[in-house]
Amino acid sequence: MSRASIFDLLHQRQQDAAPVVEKTAARSDYLIDRLLLVDGVALTPAGFVARGVLPEAVPPVLSESLYGPDGYRLLVHPITDVMPLEDNRLKRLEHKAHRLNALVQTLMVEALIMLEALPEAAGFDLVLTLPLRSPQVGEIVLAQAREAIMETQYGDRLESARLVPCQGELHDQMAVSEAGGAARVLWLSADSLLNDDDVGRLNARGVLGRSSKGPGLHPGEAVSALLLQRVLPEDASFDRGWLIGAATTRAHARRSDQRDYPRREKLLALLGEAWPDTADDPEPTEESMSLPNAPARLVVDSLTLPGRAVEAGGALMARWEMLDLIDDGIGVDVHGGWPGEAMSALQLVLAMAPLEEGDSALVLEIAAETQSRALVLRACAGPTALANQL
């Protein structure tokens, strides 16, 4: 896909009228524990993901070049339709960077189309999270992403572009410096584990799925783009999107050292903290009262690692009897393989994609041995949200 085609596609789309707002100066007083998810798209081995578009899960395939320690070819989840890039600088400097750049450029058109939701003349920041070893390589990928934006009608609205480490909480990654930043953020996140180094790391952790052995993680890849809005203290309410508060995180003993029942009970307690039952709470908060009785969608990072499906299914059934992990939920590793550092962004897109207006979602991370984490996407508008506000 050429640069010209990116420019043409963006101009061919019909744009809805948006209120005219003055371009405001950068601010630094955004709430540190609130973000608004406006929209998101992703490309996975299963296909393209967006609002109302959620492809069926795909099985892994035998790799032509990657082998496990047992000598057998590995089962992997590749993305098959990726933009070919002729620039070989990244291949020479860091081979993985070339693949990540190709993934980012492949999704760039859909990422920029989301910017149609911006108020007229409103600026935005670009944030990239890519697991690269070399800062020099990261700057090359960032420069090419910035160049793709500058060649469109959104170029003069790009306020800043920066690389952010993959590790850390979402709100920390999107935080601004003392110099401030734009209210809107275009976040691009990508990773690919289809290389010997990442396969070796999965094997060293004892979680690599092999064609000759039992359950484990099959190397995959993904790229996601999310349009986020930083929340100001005076922002009373929003008429669209999903508010994301701070994650609820709990450390605990190793999962492999615990029996099924205590593991389920610990996860059940985490669910109670992240999604309180106001019927049992004598002093419910305004935030907990704005949540529906149960999430409309569940996204779990892993259901293939030993014991995870039993742990998640048991806790969710005990918390919400009407929810079904298969019908109402999705395991990222089952859907399209393990996406590495692209997991956090991809989970948000997978959670948002099937939601109706007013529906809220729950994201769970239970792959780690000694930590569990829950993140809530709380609807800002729609019938359910309105009923809760009333």
Side-chain angles (χ1 to χ4, degrees):
M1 184 179 295
S2 68
R3 297 291 190 195
S5 64
I6 292 176
F7 185 85
D8 293 341
L9 276 173
L10 287 168
H11 275 281
Q12 288 169 7
R13 289 177 57 89
Q14 296 292 326
Q15 295 193 23
D16 296 330
V20 177
V21 298
E22 292 295 330
K23 197 169 183 178
T24 58
R27 294 182 58 169
S28 59
D29 58 337
Y30 300 105
L31 299 180
I32 61 174
D33 60 349
R34 289 290 183 276
L35 285 168
L36 179 72
L37 173 59
V38 178
D39 203 355
V41 293
L43 185 61
T44 75
F48 179 68
V49 183
R51 287 291 307 278
V53 180
L54 186 62
E56 295 293 329
V58 293
V61 298
L62 283 173
S63 172
E64 295 294 331
S65 59
L66 295 175
Y67 293 82
D70 52 10
Y72 289 91
R73 286 191 295 167
L74 286 175
L75 289 167
V76 297
H77 285 269
I79 296 176
T80 56
D81 189 13
V82 178
M83 178 188 297
L85 297 181
E86 298 179 0
D87 186 353
N88 291 319
R89 288 180 303 162
L90 292 175
K91 279 186 178 179
R92 293 192 298 268
L93 293 169
E94 188 175 334
H95 193 274
K96 178 173 176 173
H98 185 270
R99 181 64 175 180
L100 297 188
N101 192 35
L103 291 173
V104 169
Q105 294 295 332
T106 300
L107 196 64
M108 187 60 74
V109 171
E110 287 77 12
L112 295 180
I113 285 173
M114 292 192 301
L115 297 179
E116 293 177 1
L118 294 180
E120 188 174 342
F124 66 97
D125 293 334
L126 173 67
V127 171
L128 261 65
T129 53
L130 306 170
L132 298 172
R133 295 192 301 269
S134 166
Q136 176 189 0
V137 167
E139 288 299 327
I140 294 174
V141 178
L142 181 64
Q144 294 193 10
R146 183 168 47 219
E147 178 188 349
I149 296 173
M150 296 304 294
E151 293 181 2
T152 72
Q153 71 266 37
Y154 299 109
D156 60 353
R157 297 162 69 178
L158 178 61
E159 301 284 355
S160 69
R162 62 190 176 101
L163 285 166
V164 173
C166 295
Q167 294 74 26
E169 294 292 330
L170 168 63
H171 299 81
D172 295 333
Q173 292 173 323
M174 299 302 124
V176 299
S177 66
E178 292 183 0
R184 281 83 180 179
V185 184
L186 180 62
W187 176 29
L188 293 170
S189 172
D191 197 4
S192 174
L193 305 189
L194 305 184
N195 58 77
D196 290 326
D197 289 342
D198 284 313
V199 166
R201 279 188 278 270
L202 288 177
N203 183 58
R205 290 170 50 197
V207 297
L208 179 64
R210 311 178 198 173
S211 56
S212 64
K213 199 177 177 181
L217 302 177
H218 299 307
E221 52 187 357
V223 55
S224 301
L226 295 96
L227 182 59
L228 300 167
Q229 182 171 335
R230 297 171 175 131
V231 179
L232 290 165
E234 63 264 28
D235 290 333
S237 62
F238 299 94
D239 59 3
R240 61 175 299 189
W242 294 267
L243 278 173
I244 303 175
T248 304
T249 305
R250 292 292 175 268
H252 47 70
R254 292 179 58 83
R255 283 185 157 88
S256 55
D257 294 337
Q258 301 180 59
R259 294 183 179 274
D260 289 342
Y261 180 78
R263 287 171 57 175
R264 188 202 76 172
E265 290 302 297
K266 286 184 175 63
L267 184 57
L268 184 59
L270 178 70
L271 295 177
E273 292 182 52
W275 200 293
D277 186 351
T278 55
D280 298 332
D281 188 352
E283 298 181 359
T285 65
E286 181 179 348
E287 182 169 320
S288 65
M289 291 180 65
S290 68
L291 285 171
N293 294 329
R297 189 68 175 170
L298 306 164
V299 178
V300 186
D301 57 350
S302 176
L303 293 177
T304 62
L305 287 174
R308 275 19 176 231
V310 173
E311 178 183 348
L316 291 168
M317 184 177 297
R319 181 66 173 82
W320 298 291
E321 293 183 0
M322 75 294 292
L323 284 183
D324 185 277
L325 187 56
I326 304 300
D327 295 336
D328 304 309
I330 185 173
V332 178
D333 57 349
V334 175
H335 187 75
W338 187 254
E341 298 293 348
M343 174 65 76
S344 296
L346 179 57
Q347 280 188 291
L348 293 176
V349 179
L350 290 172
M352 177 211 67
L355 294 180
E356 301 289 343
E357 289 295 330
D359 285 343
S360 298
L362 178 67
V363 170
L364 287 178
E365 294 181 8
I366 58 173
E369 273 288 301
T370 59
Q371 179 177 286
S372 300
R373 185 170 176 270
L375 195 67
V376 174
L377 278 65
R378 182 161 55 90
C380 297
T384 304
L386 178 60
N388 286 327
Q389 291 173 11
L390 295 175

